[in-house]
Amino acid sequence: MPSETLWEIAKAEVEKRGINGSEGDGAEIGEKSVFFIGSKNGGKTTIILRCLDRDEPPKPTLALEYTYGRRAKGHNTPKDIAHFWELGGGTSLLDLISVPITSDTLRTFSLVLVLDLSKPNDLWPTMENLLQATKSHVDKVIMKLGKTNPKAASEMRQKIWNNMQKDHPDRELIDPFPVPLVIIGSKYDIFQDFESEKRKVICKTLRFVAHYYGASLMFTSKSEALLLKIRGVINQLAFGIDKSKSICVDQNKPLFITAGLDSFSQIGSPPVPENDIGKLHAHSPMELWKKVYEKLFPPKSINTLKNIKDPARDPQYAESEVDEMRIQKDQELEQYKRSSSKSWKQIELDS
């Protein structure tokens, strides 16, 4: 079924219920959007399908994909709608981030960043590029909204502090992400076999980033128990069900930390010898953690992800017959260009 048709169905359902999206703080609106971004082949589709109880094999995500789910709050009550967007290609399609994030959706919008724990060298650049691009666009939308609806923009800026208690010791040290953010570390089943020191660095680094952005952090794998916990978190974002208060910060177990429950004192300093910290020349705590992390896990493949501008040339979507025809047409095009170039040069000589 075409994505436009799905969108029309969801939109018609909301209009039928007379929901205009302008009352309260978004809790009663009955329509929310959850945007999945993250590592290429990191398991985003699998998580979405599990949340929607769809028993089907995940397929590679082509650019930007959309689906939706519905859930009733009680017996004989209208069903709330959750719009699920998923960005494919890792960091290669950053321009598409602007599609689902608009002034109409932003007040009930959440972001889920899925990071492949089995590829630690790609983790920081993937996280950094996606979060920076998303934050930049969200900030622009809020600024634009502020010109037409200052009250709504002000409410949004205040709302991002809801997860942090007023007396939390780190309240003055964090910079909450402009929309609710959940960071999921996938493929924990592979990650748990890493050396203890590597697991320690990855866990502490992700805890710092999540806490700094006022985000929740959790690890998952193909384990049914872990997927059920993730499903509960996503359902909270999508349908507003009660938020889990459980916490696990043990690096020898799958992390599960709800936003606002961690602290910099519990996380500790970056895992590097004290006499080496002064040599890193960082201008901010985030930059310091980045330097420490990339010292152990230098980035390597992020450039190859960025360079794939045309999904048709992405090996992930290889089709032998189609690719052979494409090569033939490309050769014909090049031949045409060369013959055309010769023709124009001959015309210039004749003239």
Side-chain angles (χ1 to χ4, degrees), residues 47-56 228 231 235:
I47 294 172
I48 294 174
L49 292 174
R50 189 67 185 83
C51 291
L52 297 175
D53 279 330
R54 293 182 186 172
D55 186 17
E56 56 188 79
L228 280 173
R231 179 186 176 186
N235 280 340

Side-chain angles (χ1 to χ4, degrees), residues 60-125:
T61 302
L62 292 170
L64 181 68
E65 295 195 1
Y66 166 82
T67 188
Y68 72 98
R70 292 187 288 188
R71 179 188 179 110
K73 288 184 177 179
H75 186 60
N76 289 332
T77 59
K79 292 183 178 180
D80 290 338
I81 298 174
H83 305 287
F84 291 92
W85 296 88
E86 180 184 357
L87 180 70
T91 59
S92 64
L93 300 168
L94 296 179
D95 292 343
L96 295 178
I97 284 176
S98 62
V99 175
I101 305 175
T102 68
S103 56
D104 293 327
T105 64
L106 198 56
R107 296 183 68 193
T108 55
F109 195 92
S110 299
L111 186 70
V112 178
L113 173 66
V114 181
L115 299 171
D116 187 343
L117 296 174
S118 70
K119 298 178 180 178
N121 296 82
D122 296 339
L123 192 148
W124 187 282

Side-chain angles (χ1 to χ4, degrees), residues 30-58:
E31 181 182 14
K32 298 179 185 293
S33 298
V34 184
F35 188 19
F36 285 77
I37 59 176
S39 304
K40 188 175 180 180
N41 300 320
K44 299 182 292 296
T45 306
T46 299
I47 294 172
I48 294 174
L49 292 174
R50 189 67 185 83
C51 291
L52 297 175
D53 279 330
R54 293 182 186 172
D55 186 17
E56 56 188 79

Side-chain angles (χ1 to χ4, degrees), residues 291-303:
K291 287 180 179 293
V292 171
Y293 184 87
E294 293 190 338
K295 189 174 183 181
L296 182 60
F297 301 109
K300 53 184 180 181
S301 66
I302 196 67
N303 290 329

